[in-house]
Amino acid sequence: MKIRTARPDRGQHSRPRMHCLNKLEAIVVEMQDPKSGVRGVEQKLNITIIPHVISGKDIIAWIANKMKTPPEEALAFGTMLVSYGYIYPLHNHKKLVMCNDTSLYRFQTPYFWPTQKWVAEDVDYAIYLAKRNIRKKGVLEPYEQAHYNHLHEWLNYKWDFIVMQATEQYKAGKERKKPDRVVFDCQERAYWIVNRPPRRTHSAMDCGPDRLIDPNADEKITFDQYRRMNMFYQQAIMRSKVKSSVSLGVLVKYITTYKNHDPFLAPCLPSNPWQTDTDTYWTLNMRRVDIPTKMRVERWSFGLFELLTDLRGRDDFKIFLKKEFSGENLAFWEAAEELKWGTASSISTKAESIFKTFLAPGAPRWINIDGRTMGLTVKGLEHPHRYVLEAAQTHVFMLMKKDTFFRYLKSPVYKDIQKKALNPAPHNFSAAQLEQNAQNQNPGIHPIILWKQEEEEKVKAAAASAPVDIKAVMSKIDRRNRDIQ
Amino acid sequence: MCDQTFMAATFGPCDSCGKTGPLMNIYIKNEPVNYCSFCVEVMAYRGLQKGETLETLRQESDTLKKKLEEERGKLNDVELHQVAEKIEVVGALSIKTRRVLKGHGNKVLCMDWCKDKRRLVSSSQDGKVIVWDGFTLNKENGVSLPCTWVMACAYAPSGCAVALGDGLDNKCSVIPLSLDKNENLATKKKSVAMHTNYVSGCTFTSSDMQILTSSGDGSCALWDVESGQLLQSFHGHTADVLSLDLSPSETGNTFVSGGCDKKSCVWDMRSGQNIQTFENHESDINCVKYYPSGDAFASASDDATCRLYDLRADREVAIYQKDSIIFGASSVDFSLSGRLLFAGYNDYSINVWDVLKVTRVSILFGHENRISRVCVSPDGTALCSASWDHTLRIWA
């Protein structure tokens, strides 16, 4: 009986898609080919003989040959075959890994292969455990016993059915020949280890939380989804696009520019902290160093955004702007960023103070933007929202990017810092020194402390650079003159 | 830059209802109009008009899709490997495990670096979230959440808080960190986001004040942390959204998301509009990540491929695949220059791809269960991988 509700079912019922199963099955079928597959031998178990047993070494050699991979990759692939349940180990059956030695494995019967469509059901698991219990009491492992007790409680209403099925299967099993019975038991055991793994076993069927969408169901697209798609396609067709040669050229240029700054491609100076256990690289590149490193200064020249994101670079740029008496552009940009990314409740107060400081006619730090943008912005400020300053901010940013930034790079401020910048010599530690470094790792300063310091600095800077309010000074002089008179 | 073309028209009064706000640029009968997101929804849900059936809509959709492919094809004048011919090959890399972070009692599902380049936060299936100093292996803070499957975690840009996405609670919360190791941080947890299904990814924007979340209910949303208010929601995926990433570029107004509907979508954060969509994968997209310049992004999927998409040319430019790799890729990240692409797979290994030459440079073995996340540190000095084998590894 299903209880139907008016609201859509938002439960997560579907297992994630297992896209690799088709390819895996094809490979496993090939492996079992009597002529070109993996070589099988017979294993003697007391008096019974188990056919079609394969050794780990042979499997890995076959995989390496077939897929043209080095042995390590083949080993990883072999482990995956075991963890999905296509091959199971005969000894040490709880560890689902492939070993590159003489340990023995067998192919799992296709009946027990993993599938996308059917989940290994709890009822089947209960039947399996009950069957093992019937055969011999006390043979269940602790984790299996825990599962059994749990299922006994939850499936109690079906327990008669489960016990009946278990007894039937047990009787049917007794009628099989001994080698077949041993093989079937091993297969069944392997199947349940993969689908109900014990605690320290890594099984690939353990695939994470269920999804909302069912990968087995056909996708049904409703009419409103089609309408949305059509609106999207129309808009996408009309969008301006760039030729591949141009945009790919830009990607390549980016890589070439940053090549020497990538620690995976070029060595860090003085050394990569993770490799030598010394954090000199980080201390030299901290937020408020007096003298930055050469690499850092070089990076500032790559683009205005690089310069501004590195706060030390931004400080240097501010020094330059102060000399040029054009600090209001950057101050406006910073204020607009704070408005955009700040809390929703502070938007109106921030907008007001920005208007008074930068945009009002006769404002102390009036920014020079074109009439149209100014008009749009001022109108938007009547009902301020988060993105009200976008147009003005972009205009100011473009101005800085196309003009001020290049003047900065040619200025004595920049050239001076380039000359002064540090070029640390690469570290050359002996093994004993590396050992020592590992013992004396520097804990560094906690980001919370640094953040508090930053906030204090900001408050100080704001107080120091507050523009002199001419009107207040004038009125003070007036009042004083009046008092004298 | 693409954002420039949207600049002037994106704000103002809606052409349909007149309310002022961020607008989507759409076309009705080939005429450009600017509607607010509510009016767009209303238009989409409007009952079938005369002469319109599901079939006619579907045919229109197919024709438009073909036209879009044509337009994209017109500008396809060169392939990536041709442009990259003159670039020298990447030398042999010697990347080794430098740290193994042990301490989680169950699968580690997600991790994120702090901007100070050494601290990181990780979350696991047993509901524990740990803030580590990766350099000294010190566990600085630990939070125990009542729910399992904390599938998403993010470090705040200031370093003073972390955000966590609950897989079963459907919420995303922000927890302020403290210098006191023994303080019970769970009491200071603040719920910010509320979805109708599991939260699969979360990230802070440029400040601590906003978070962007993606959810199994097919939507993404932008939230104000202080008030818990929903600022913008993004609808367009037809299945679970598994991952998202914010653009690192100077315009910083877009983000990309990837989901179980095999699509990756680029969104405008201001108006909620879906700007670009790419439908090349053959299976669920597990992870999307922007290229460091913001002009491209990579996606990792269950079809065992990673693909690179160029945003300005609006097309897929490279597929990173090999016949011997058949297990799904769960996570990707670029190195600092964008030359290397690190991809973590479900076969317990990490493949390092050369982005330009589209070849594999190296494989990193070491984990004993599938890799759930790979993340390069903010200064590019190290790679951290989180895995279902209960550990995290730092490689350099």
Side-chain angles (χ1 to χ4, degrees), chain A residues 300-312:
Chain A
W300 296 345
S301 68
F302 290 161
L304 178 62
F305 193 58
E306 271 292 344
L307 177 65
L308 293 181
T309 15
D310 185 355
L311 295 172
R312 176 69 184 79

Side-chain angles (χ1 to χ4, degrees), chain B residues 129-282:
Chain B
V129 174
I130 303 181
V131 176
W132 314 75
D133 177 356
F135 193 60
T136 55
L137 289 184
N138 202 9
K139 295 189 192 57
E140 300 208 331
N141 298 101
V143 188
S144 260
L145 295 171
C147 88
T148 59
W149 290 106
V150 185
M151 292 171 65
C153 62
Y155 220 119
S158 67
C160 300
V162 291
L164 308 166
D166 284 343
L168 301 178
D169 230 350
N170 304 344
K171 291 202 196 120
C172 186
S173 341
V174 174
I175 301 185
L177 295 175
S178 88
L179 293 166
D180 180 5
K181 195 169 168 171
N182 298 320
E183 192 177 340
N184 184 7
L185 294 175
T187 50
K188 298 210 233 145
K189 185 165 79 117
K190 182 184 174 15
S191 268
V192 174
M194 279 267 277
H195 277 280
T196 50
N197 216 311
Y198 64 92
V199 175
S200 54
C202 70
T203 177
F204 282 92
T205 60
S206 306
S207 78
D208 287 9
M209 297 295 129
Q210 293 171 358
I211 51 172
L212 193 56
T213 57
S214 65
S215 164
D217 64 12
S219 71
C220 305
L222 180 67
W223 308 83
D224 177 60
V225 172
E226 192 195 40
S227 59
Q229 191 191 1
L230 171 67
L231 297 173
Q232 184 63 255
S233 65
F234 306 91
H235 299 275
H237 278 287
T238 48
D240 312 37
V241 182
L242 294 179
S243 166
L244 57 82
D245 189 34
L246 261 180
S247 172
S249 74
E250 53 208 29
T251 42
N253 286 322
T254 58
F255 73 95
V256 62
S257 66
C260 290
D261 55 357
K262 313 176 198 168
K263 290 201 290 219
S264 47
C265 301
V266 180
W267 307 85
D268 179 340
M269 274 200 323
R270 300 164 299 187
S271 60
Q273 186 171 17
N274 178 4
I275 310 176
Q276 290 168 289
T277 302
F278 301 94
E279 301 181 60
N280 303 81
H281 275 292
E282 294 162 22

Side-chain angles (χ1 to χ4, degrees), chain A residues 10 12 17 73 202 206 212 226-228 244-245 247 255 262 277 341 343 345 386 390 401 442, chain B residues 41 44 46 58 77 99 118 197 207 210 226 240 250 270 284 291 310 335 337 360 369 388:
Chain A
R10 293 255 181 222
Q12 295 149 238
R17 218 187 293 261
E73 254 195 275
H202 301 304
D206 191 8
L212 184 57
Y226 274 126
R227 283 235 185 82
R228 262 184 262 259
S244 281
S245 48
S247 58
I255 289 180
D262 188 341
D277 286 318
W341 303 118
T343 64
S345 52
R386 193 171 290 272
E390 277 284 288
K401 187 171 169 179
N442 190 352
Chain B
E41 285 298 304
R46 190 185 60 199
R58 191 186 65 77
D77 56 345
R99 301 280 192 281
R118 49 190 285 172
N197 216 311
S207 78
Q210 293 171 358
E226 192 195 40
D240 312 37
E250 53 208 29
R270 300 164 299 187
D284 307 356
Y291 190 78
D310 184 337
S335 69
S337 64
R360 183 176 61 187
N369 204 334
W388 284 14

